Amino acid sequence: PSARNIQNRKYVVLDNIDDEVADACNGQSWVSTAPLMMMGLIDPTVNKWAETDMAIAFEQVVLEAVELGLGTCWIGAFDEGKIKRIIGAPENMRVYALLSIGYPETNPSQMTSKKPIDEIWSKDKYKW
């Protein structure tokens, strides 16, 4: 997906997630256990829909990963400046999000309970 087909994004894939990357992820050391990390970068000055486009694209990667038996974790807690230095990203680009990709140790659907559907869904009118 890309608003007006601008395709205003870049992806960087790391296959060596070292301590420097984990440190840049606010010290979340578990990120270095994943075999891959995908980074999504946008230039927010080019297109006001850049964040939405990247979010949709990342979620498509998440869905495909599940289809392939892989697990993912969307990482939003990171030091953007450190990440940009690690990958050599230019100043105008914004690191939107990171996505760790690997083989899950457990079935994610068994990890946490979800709210009942009637608590998150309503018909015709907003219901709290």
Side-chain angles (χ1 to χ4, degrees):
S2 177
R4 296 184 1 240
N5 200 30
I6 293 174
Q7 301 177 43
N8 174 37
R9 58 182 168 247
K10 296 284 185 184
Y11 302 97
V12 175
V13 177
L14 298 179
D15 62 1
N16 181 18
I17 302 134
D18 58 18
D19 292 339
E20 184 180 20
V21 175
D23 178 61
C25 291
N26 295 350
Q28 298 177 84
S29 59
W30 62 267
V31 302
S32 62
T33 65
L36 290 175
M37 178 180 286
M38 184 173 123
M39 301 178 177
L41 290 86
I42 59 173
D43 182 346
T45 65
V46 173
N47 175 1
K48 74 177 187 174
W49 300 107
E51 290 186 10
T52 301
D53 289 349
M54 183 58 78
I56 295 168
F58 254 44
E59 195 56 26
Q60 295 295 317
V61 172
V62 168
L63 293 171
E64 184 62 23
V66 169
E67 186 69 24
L68 296 171
L70 299 170
T72 63
C73 183
W74 191 303
I75 302 165
F78 58 89
D79 182 315
E80 182 178 10
K82 287 181 181 179
I83 293 293
K84 286 173 80 168
R85 282 190 293 281
I86 290 168
I87 64 172
E91 191 60 36
N92 68 307
M93 296 302 283
R94 178 170 165 240
V95 181
Y96 177 71
L98 314 176
L99 189 67
S100 64
I101 303 170
Y103 296 95
E105 291 180 6
T106 60
N107 182 340
S109 65
Q110 298 170 343
M111 293 173 59
T112 58
S113 61
K114 303 292 182 189
K115 289 183 176 182
I117 194 77
D118 63 342
E119 287 186 29
I120 61 170
W121 188 268
S122 62
K123 184 176 183 310
D124 296 326
K125 301 264 187 204
Y126 180 86
K127 180 180 93 175
W128 187 254

